[in-house]
Amino acid sequence: MIDYGSTYTESVSNQPRYAQIAADLRARIERGEYKTGDQIPTKAELMTQWGAALNTVARAVTELQQAGLIETFHGVGSFVRTPPEPTPTLDEEVTALRDRVATLEQQLAALHEHLGVAPPATDPA
């Protein structure tokens, strides 16, 4: 009997096999079954576990590499990477930039006051 992994469900059965394998490994990483630095199963082990061809397993591993979840060392294996920092949303970046501009404007006003010079005229545009 084939072990389809702990997260295999009928909802993913319509996905290509490589996507099912990648989704299972991704879920295991996210749940902490595989932690940073842990080695994931070898391609040969995944082939046996999933009853899949080498190319299928290799594509699943490539998907995880491209997502930044694992790193593969030739002849050694594939290992879970340190999770990447979440990328801020555009709204978060705009808010951070607005906050930074407001802080810089306050610092510049305080500097002008300290030096006793009038701030330059601002462009209303």
Side-chain angles (χ1 to χ4, degrees), residues 91-105:
D91 287 342
E92 291 170 336
E93 288 188 50
V94 168
T95 298
L97 287 171
R98 284 185 177 148
D99 292 346
R100 182 69 180 136
V101 167
T103 299
L104 290 171
E105 287 175 339

Side-chain angles (χ1 to χ4, degrees), residues 19-68:
Q20 294 174 25
I21 298 168
D24 177 62
L25 290 170
R26 179 187 310 267
R28 290 174 184 224
I29 292 168
E30 290 171 354
R31 283 195 311 266
E33 288 181 40
Y34 298 124
K35 296 174 179 38
T36 299
D38 285 352
Q39 184 174 5
I40 65 168
T42 65
K43 290 178 183 175
E45 291 169 338
L46 291 170
M47 289 170 58
T48 300
Q49 178 184 0
W50 284 84
L54 176 59
N55 287 342
T56 302
V57 168
R59 186 165 178 191
V61 170
T62 298
E63 293 280 320
L64 296 175
Q65 289 170 331
Q66 290 175 345

